[in-house]
Amino acid sequence: MSSCLPARIVRHAAHHPDAPALFWHGNTTGYGELTAMAGRAATWIAAHHGGAAAPGPGSGERPRPLALVAKKSPEAVAVVLACLLLRRPLLIASADLGAEALSALLVSAGATRLPAPAELTASPGEGAPPVPSAPYPATGDPDDIALLLTTSGSTGIPKIAPVTFGALDRFTAWAAGHFGLDARTTVLNHAPLNFDLCLFDIWTTLGSGGCAALVDQDLAVNPAHLEGILRARPVHVVQGVPLLHALLARTAAGGDASHLAPVRHVLITGDAISGPAFAALPPLFPRARFHNVYGCTETNDSFVHEIDPQDPMPHGALPLGRPVAGTRAWIRTEDGGVLHGPGRGELVVRTPFQTPGYLGAAPAVSPFVPHPQDQDGGPCYRTGDLVRRHPDGTLTLEGRRDFVVKVRGVRVNTAEVEAALCAHDGIEEAAVLALPDDEAGKVLHAVVRRAPAATLDSLTLRHYLGQRLPRAALPRTVRWSGEPLPRTSTGKLDRTALTDVLGPGPSVPRAPAAVGAPAARLSADIRRISQGTGD
């Protein structure tokens, strides 16, 4: 057990109990305090759920998963650590799931919900006997399930992707070495606790003896909250979706970016970033190296590319880079073959960190397929992402396979239309939705946010797109917004929210309206934009 993640954290706590492990709302949680909270939670779990790794060795059964439904906090992190120490599989579920969706998810996982983290980690009352040490197992199978993560699918119940202890150990070891994490490193954690980015932000950091600076999920889009964290504690590594980097740019809008100066690594992940959005970053992070990190929940990080700030997008998009150590990748053509030269197809990967398969209900068609030349190495994962291999061998992301629709019988990738929109200097961000239409089958609708001070109108935009896209790919309507488009909790465009309110039907030109206001006004604002098509 000497090299496994929870053991490394406990060992660091034993030697450096006062070292900072977590930074939260201006307060520091030391490693000693973190492991003490985890110990209290582990003792409660062992008492109420059958002990470490229940039902125990030799039973022939895997232990029943537990479920944590809570927003991020030091106490929640301690509960996850407790389950890792006990080697009990833990489903980390979003606290924002509706009651029916959460119930269905727990049934699918066969998981028992734990009490609130504050209850599990509470200190004993005055005069209470000391909390006994939890019976942590000394050894374990690396194929045992450590965590159950949920995918960010847009329809139905999220799929459950198990992460084994072996995968967790291999990933945290690789990531710490690649980005130079150690006991002197502080990493900003912006993602929710149930998101796979936490495997780096929190668990690689703690496994390296560093400090994770936690962003409150309820304040994740508040620039003042982010700035407060970065000014209170120097941060050395920042990983996040493009939304986070836009928010950090906003914190420096007044000209003082001193709170970003200590950052030495900036990781962009989770979604594509536009050229103008990236161009704003190098001046903010004068000492940083920039990385494009590609991966998904099922495989974790698969490709990494160090970005050249002088030529960030040599082919119009950030390159995916090289496969991480131990990763195999190939491009699948439409007929199921392998693309060997330049061209476009679906990216298929196998990493040392990937899930062994879904838990519970699985998709009708499995995305796990054998490698065409290396079937002994285990299954590969069809990512659903369309990539292009350029003549010089560079790979760039071109959209999703499931974003391909037919408009009047012509295949159109809505991601390519979005990319064309975002390439215009006057556009900050855009979403393109394919909605049902009785005559055309599908009709494209665009929702666009102008860049500050831009004077772009619908007529000019249509002429611009007409020079770059086939006729079938031109949106029928363009709707304008003066505010950011709605996003999910992980920073991706909330296409469901936009689709629900736009709906099919004719558009009536009206004045531009706002999208992406604070949560309390979001529904009303989206409905207002659904009534306007622009200039």
Side-chain angles (χ1 to χ4, degrees), residues 143-531:
D143 291 333
D144 287 343
I145 295 172
L147 299 173
L148 301 172
L149 301 181
T150 53
T151 64
S152 55
S154 58
T155 59
I157 300 170
K159 297 186 288 293
I160 302 169
V163 178
T164 66
F165 277 93
L168 187 60
D169 292 339
R170 289 188 292 272
F171 174 76
T172 54
W174 167 79
H178 190 86
F179 296 105
L181 273 59
D182 58 25
R184 298 164 295 180
T185 305
T186 296
V187 177
L188 185 70
N189 165 237
H190 185 253
L193 189 60
N194 62 294
F195 200 46
D196 57 352
L197 296 188
C198 290
L199 296 179
F200 177 80
D201 298 344
I202 295 178
W203 299 109
T204 301
T205 302
L206 294 178
S208 306
C211 177
L214 308 178
V215 174
D216 190 323
Q217 285 178 234
D218 291 332
L219 301 172
V221 296
N222 185 332
H225 177 59
L226 295 171
E227 183 176 2
I229 294 172
L230 292 156
R231 290 196 184 280
R233 181 174 185 85
V235 168
H236 308 106
V237 181
V238 173
Q239 174 180 233
V241 297
L243 173 65
L244 169 62
H245 301 297
L247 291 168
L248 293 178
R250 200 178 302 173
T251 70
D256 179 12
S258 59
H259 55 293
L260 302 177
V263 176
R264 61 175 183 258
H265 290 289
V266 173
L267 282 61
I268 301 169
T269 191
D271 207 350
I273 190 170
S274 68
F278 177 79
L281 300 184
L284 299 178
F285 302 97
R287 304 175 188 171
R289 296 163 62 185
F290 297 87
H291 310 267
N292 187 30
V293 180
Y294 170 83
C296 49
T297 304
E298 288 85 350
T299 64
N300 213 320
D301 292 347
S302 308
F303 286 76
V304 178
H305 170 70
E306 183 163 352
I307 305 167
D308 178 1
Q310 303 303 315
D311 186 21
M313 301 188 180
H315 296 283
L318 288 180
L320 292 187
R322 296 180 177 277
V324 305
T327 292
R328 296 290 301 273
W330 53 288
I331 298 175
R332 188 176 189 271
T333 59
E334 285 193 18
D335 60 4
V338 179
L339 179 70
H340 294 288
R344 189 174 89 155
E346 181 186 3
L347 183 62
V348 187
V349 301
R350 180 175 69 222
T351 75
F353 328 123
Q354 76 183 36
T355 183
Y358 296 119
L359 184 68
V365 178
S366 175
F368 297 95
V369 296
H371 191 288
Q373 283 94 34
D374 181 18
Q375 299 188 17
D376 294 334
C380 300
Y381 177 69
R382 291 183 59 180
T383 66
D385 287 328
L386 297 177
V387 298
R388 180 173 297 279
R389 181 187 288 129
H390 297 269
D392 63 359
T394 300
L395 291 181
T396 56
L397 190 63
E398 294 215 338
R400 291 281 304 169
R401 185 166 51 90
D402 46 8
F403 285 177
V404 175
V405 297
K406 280 195 174 183
V407 179
R408 299 186 184 276
V410 179
R411 290 169 58 89
V412 175
N413 191 315
T414 57
E416 293 181 1
V417 184
E418 289 179 355
L421 285 164
C422 292
H424 193 290
D425 292 340
I427 291 178
E428 196 83 359
E429 60 178 342
V432 175
L433 308 173
L435 303 183
D437 181 84
D438 291 339
E439 180 182 342
K442 295 282 187 180
V443 169
L444 303 186
H445 299 266
V447 183
V448 176
R449 178 163 70 103
R450 291 185 182 93
T455 59
L456 184 67
D457 60 27
S458 297
L459 184 61
T460 304
L461 181 59
R462 288 183 186 283
H463 177 74
Y464 169 83
L465 291 178
Q467 307 301 309
R468 291 159 177 80
L469 297 172
R471 184 177 180 84
L474 298 178
R476 174 181 289 183
T477 64
V478 177
R479 308 182 180 195
W480 299 96
S481 169
E483 297 187 27
L485 304 188
R487 299 268 174 175
T488 67
S489 62
T490 57
K492 297 184 178 181
L493 283 170
D494 192 340
R495 300 177 191 279
T496 301
L498 286 168
T499 302
D500 286 347
V501 296
L502 291 179
S507 299
V508 180
R510 303 229 181 171
V515 170
R521 308 198 323 266
L522 182 58
S523 178
D525 284 345
I526 295 176
R527 283 180 169 79
R528 282 200 296 274
I529 196 173
S530 73
Q531 304 301 316

